[in-house]
Amino acid sequence: MCRLLFSVLSTFLGLTCVTFFIGRVIPIDPVLAIVGDKASMATYNRVRSEIGLDLPIPVQYWRYLIKVLHGDFGNSVITSQPVLQDLLRVFPATLELSLMALMIGVIFGIPLGVIAATHRGRWQDQVIRFGSLIGYSMPVFWLGLIGLLVFYAKLGWVEGPGRLDVSYDDIVPVVTGLITVDSLFAGEHEVFWNSLGHLVLPAAILGYLSLAYVARMTRSFMLGQLKQEYILATLAKGLSPFRVVWVHALGNVWVQLVTVIALTFGSLLEGAVLTETVFAWPGLGLYMKNSLFNADLNAVLGGTMLVGVVYIGLNMLSDLIYPLVDPRARERR
Amino acid sequence: MSDTPLLTLRNLRVVYPGDEGDLVAVRNVSFDLGRERLGIVGESGSGKSTTGRAIMGLVAAPGIVTADEMRLAGKDLTSLDERGFRRLRGKKVAMILQDPKYSLDPVMSVGQQIAETHRCHFRSSMNAARAAALDMLAAVHIRDPERVYALYPHQVSGGMGQRVMIAMMLIAGPDLLIADEPTSALDVTVQHQVLAIMDDLVRSRGMGLILISHNLHLVSSFCDRVLVMYGGRVVETCAAGELSKARHPYTRGLLASLPELGRRRAELPQLRRDPAWAEG
């Protein structure tokens, strides 16, 4: 437990170093962003010392660290609101999207990986491997556009861009920020179905990426386990191949999959940037993209910090989940 | 005890087809087994393990098993499909593998793994299977079955792990036990203990035992009869007590290369191999 805490803290410190460093090397002058390019030299220098840019680097870092620990990432230039407030507003949208995508990736990816492994070299394996290769290599924005064209514009099976139809805006009180969850709690079924209709296509497209990855990893982990002696022993006991594969082999694969799933979730947050842009999904990805294109340094660094913190949290979570799936890990702590 | 043998093999062959010609792992092996203890010895690759696996229907693809006759307790194995074999495994014929460190599922408690065999063959309830597993743990001389039941494979020693393995394989009451190098991975001190427990159970239940090993001493002291295999073929069969009178040059060579206490030899003779033995 102590070791886990130490690693979390040191990773966090490293993260702050990186964001601080990026803030210094990026060719955006934060002073200029405040005073504008018509300001006099005197004004420029006054603002420069006001925000502490004339101090020695270690002192600047220290002040940055203290501010970050207080949740102060400065104000966003575009929204002129505290960055933290902006992040808390947009993050639930991304969380909802990536959780749904992860669910799709795990629920379909693991069984497909298992089937590919047990049918190694046969047509099932070829189909699944080809399918995941496409998931790997297709650009998300292209898939997103095609998806919108086919399923929204032509077939009308799903709702269009955004999280909700305009007519449903502001009906459901924000509790978790996940509209599907909030609307269910509020008993607004119409809102729920509408938000699900909006969610399903971007989540499926984002989830396809993680499905491809999870399926490939599951396949290779399964192939490793199916070669083990204990598989022969379970067969010698007279167990059905179904039980041998889905209980014994997969039970051991979970141990390795925990990390894969945690990291997949992290990469979904990144993948959300493109998906959210295509689907006008008002989440972290879209927010980061807009900030980046408008040289809104505070917002970009704040968002980077948030993604980093989520990564650290996921790693911590997977460390905590390990002992649940692996009895050998229970003793080490 | 009936007159029909427990196991009959006539011209068992196991072939692995390959691009550069077929690899014949087992060539025309024939023997009868009663409710006795048969040892199979031979060097690595002599086909002794493959023979054991063929009896269980566990020769992995692309291996092909053929035999003129293969019967277990009167049941014809040559015409059996995978489903049929599955009903026999654990229930009629069971197998003990070499190293309990690798042959037990690391993420399931040992008790559950034993109970699983029971549930699989008797469709028993959770509680009944648990009770049977606890009895079985006691039968393999484990002092505190309740405690051991909940342990995971990495928490038990090699000797205890192999006893768990024996319990797991015998709980459904098979007639034949194939022990494939059951003690090779164990400390010398617990080897005999584990063998004694296995032997005791096999005798008291009137089972047949095939003990596969490369250890001549072990086999000759534990078995009634010994088969010597070389290159996939049985080169010699003799009573265990008469192993020292074996005539086949390969067996003689094996015996000659055993070191003996109290007899100093500058060099042990090297084992000579003659390809003709495998053809003959």
Side-chain angles (χ1 to χ4, degrees):
Chain A
M1 206 61 214
C2 208
R3 233 191 46 212
L4 181 64
L5 212 62
F6 176 76
S7 83
V8 165
L9 282 179
S10 53
T11 318
F12 178 73
L13 271 183
L15 177 64
T16 58
C17 281
V18 171
T19 49
F20 176 78
F21 184 69
I22 294 173
R24 307 297 119 171
V25 295
I26 242 173
I28 296 172
D29 190 336
V31 183
L32 222 52
I34 295 171
V35 298
D37 46 12
K38 291 195 182 70
S40 68
M41 202 61 200
T43 326
Y44 181 90
N45 284 334
R46 190 163 50 76
V47 173
R48 188 174 142 84
S49 68
E50 258 173 30
I51 57 178
L53 283 177
D54 52 348
L55 296 168
I57 293 288
V59 178
Q60 284 189 39
Y61 172 68
W62 178 251
R63 288 171 51 149
Y64 170 74
L65 189 62
I66 298 295
K67 276 168 71 182
V68 164
L69 286 175
H70 285 88
D72 179 4
F73 299 106
N75 284 356
S76 157
V77 178
I78 316 173
T79 62
S80 56
Q81 280 188 342
V83 168
L84 183 67
Q85 205 175 314
D86 281 351
L87 290 177
L88 290 179
R89 182 171 45 80
V90 297
F91 187 61
T94 299
L95 191 65
E96 185 172 38
L97 178 62
S98 46
L99 273 179
M100 189 72 174
L102 185 72
M103 262 159 56
I104 292 172
V106 168
I107 290 173
F108 294 100
I110 293 177
L112 286 175
V114 171
I115 291 168
T118 52
H119 294 76
R120 184 183 193 180
R122 283 187 266 168
W123 67 266
Q124 295 94 332
D125 187 22
Q126 310 291 2
V127 168
I128 291 165
R129 281 167 70 188
F130 184 69
S132 29
L133 188 70
I134 290 179
Y136 255 18
S137 21
M138 286 293 168
V140 161
F141 55 87
W142 187 82
L143 272 183
L145 286 174
I146 297 294
L148 274 176
L149 194 68
V150 174
F151 296 107
Y152 170 60
K154 288 275 178 212
L155 297 170
W157 290 356
V158 299
E159 307 291 340
R163 296 181 80 188
L164 269 182
D165 286 358
V166 187
S167 51
Y168 291 113
D169 270 348
D170 299 324
I171 294 182
V172 175
V174 176
V175 182
T176 59
L178 313 179
I179 296 183
T180 44
V181 177
D182 286 349
S183 59
L184 266 189
F185 275 132
E188 297 281 356
H189 294 290
E190 237 176 281
V191 180
F192 171 76
W193 287 111
N194 185 260
S195 66
L196 197 65
H198 279 274
L199 178 61
V200 70
L201 184 62
I205 283 170
L206 196 54
Y208 188 21
L209 278 175
S210 56
L211 183 154
Y213 183 60
V214 169
R216 280 178 84 111
M217 295 310 277
T218 306
R219 176 181 181 272
S220 79
F221 291 154
M222 279 299 284
L223 288 177
Q225 290 300 325
L226 289 172
K227 275 197 260 193
Q228 303 291 317
E229 280 281 287
Y230 72 82
I231 294 296
L232 184 66
T234 51
L235 286 171
K237 277 156 75 167
L239 299 190
S240 65
F242 182 84
R243 205 175 154 78
V244 171
V245 168
W246 295 90
V247 175
H248 288 280
L250 189 59
N252 282 275
V253 165
W254 271 115
V255 177
Q256 297 157 291
L257 272 182
V258 168
T259 326
V260 168
I261 292 171
L263 292 182
T264 306
F265 188 59
S267 66
L268 283 178
L269 293 179
E270 293 164 20
V273 174
L274 287 173
T275 315
E276 288 180 2
T277 307
V278 172
F279 286 90
W281 193 264
L284 183 65
L286 196 60
Y287 179 75
M288 293 273 278
K289 190 216 84 181
N290 288 337
S291 313
L292 206 56
F293 286 171
N294 290 293
D296 192 348
L297 193 62
N298 283 344
V300 173
L301 289 184
T304 310
M305 181 64 83
L306 178 61
V307 172
V309 167
V310 169
Y311 255 103
I312 294 176
L314 286 172
N315 265 318
M316 200 166 78
L317 195 66
S318 73
D319 268 7
L320 292 173
I321 291 176
Y322 265 135
L324 299 180
V325 291
D326 187 0
R328 287 160 295 187
R330 262 169 243 167
E331 268 152 47
R332 276 182 232 131
R333 46 197 56 239
Chain B
M1 240 183 259
S2 61
D3 284 0
T4 54
L6 189 57
L7 178 75
T8 308
L9 290 183
R10 289 284 168 270
N11 290 330
L12 174 73
R13 282 175 75 82
V14 180
V15 179
Y16 291 93
D19 296 337
E20 292 154 26
D22 298 350
L23 179 87
V24 186
V26 177
R27 301 163 194 259
N28 303 345
V29 165
S30 307
F31 62 84
D32 288 312
L33 178 79
R35 299 188 183 267
E36 59 180 327
R37 294 161 305 167
L38 174 74
I40 302 183
V41 287
E43 58 194 23
S44 313
S46 59
K48 53 193 196 308
S49 288
T50 313
T51 303
R53 280 174 204 191
I55 297 165
M56 300 209 61
L58 282 177
V59 170
I64 297 167
V65 180
T66 52
D68 292 346
E69 193 184 358
M70 181 154 63
R71 279 180 187 284
L72 178 71
K75 197 172 177 69
D76 182 14
L77 299 184
T78 48
S79 59
L80 221 53
D81 59 355
E82 170 58 27
R83 187 176 289 268
F85 263 117
R86 208 186 308 152
R87 254 181 239 120
L88 294 186
R89 285 182 212 137
K91 191 78 190 291
K92 296 284 175 209
V93 53
M95 184 157 75
I96 289 171
L97 300 172
Q98 184 169 354
D99 193 341
K101 223 185 278 143
Y102 302 110
S103 49
L104 293 169
D105 180 348
V107 302
M108 189 184 268
S109 81
V110 299
Q112 277 174 313
Q113 295 190 51
I114 300 170
E116 194 182 30
T117 315
H118 195 270
R119 281 174 64 79
C120 166
H121 289 288
F122 302 109
R123 309 237 158 269
S124 50
S125 72
M126 215 77 111
N127 285 334
R130 186 188 149 86
L134 289 173
D135 285 348
M136 203 61 221
L137 279 171
V140 292
H141 299 233
I142 280 173
R143 254 179 239 112
D144 190 355
E146 292 274 353
R147 186 182 65 85
V148 174
Y149 187 95
L151 293 181
Y152 285 91
H154 71 280
Q155 293 167 317
V156 301
S157 64
M160 194 185 266
Q162 205 58 309
R163 283 187 276 164
V164 166
M165 185 85 191
I166 293 170
M168 181 167 96
M169 289 304 177
L170 293 188
I171 193 168
D175 297 319
L176 171 63
L177 181 67
I178 300 170
D180 191 348
E181 305 272 11
T183 57
S184 308
L186 304 182
D187 284 346
V188 182
T189 44
V190 292
Q191 281 187 355
H192 275 267
Q193 191 191 355
V194 167
L195 277 176
I197 290 169
M198 192 170 78
D199 188 50
D200 188 36
L201 285 167
V202 164
R203 278 171 191 257
S204 63
R205 292 169 171 227
M207 295 166 55
L209 171 72
I210 295 179
L211 179 64
I212 297 169
S213 178
H214 58 256
N215 187 335
L216 275 174
H217 275 317
L218 188 103
V219 165
S220 60
S221 60
F222 258 90
C223 297
D224 308 315
R225 211 150 51 96
V226 180
L227 287 184
V228 183
M229 284 187 74
Y230 178 79
R233 185 178 292 278
V234 176
V235 292
E236 181 145 29
T237 312
C238 59
E242 287 163 11
L243 192 63
S244 54
K245 294 179 200 148
R247 289 186 313 268
H248 194 278
Y250 178 66
T251 319
R252 302 260 15 127
L254 283 180
L255 288 169
S257 54
L258 287 174
E260 266 174 88
L261 273 180
R263 213 182 126 201
R264 278 175 171 277
R265 283 188 288 186
E267 211 175 295
L268 287 170
Q270 201 178 356
L271 190 58
R272 276 191 323 102
R273 294 175 177 84
D274 186 345
W277 298 339
E279 303 304 328

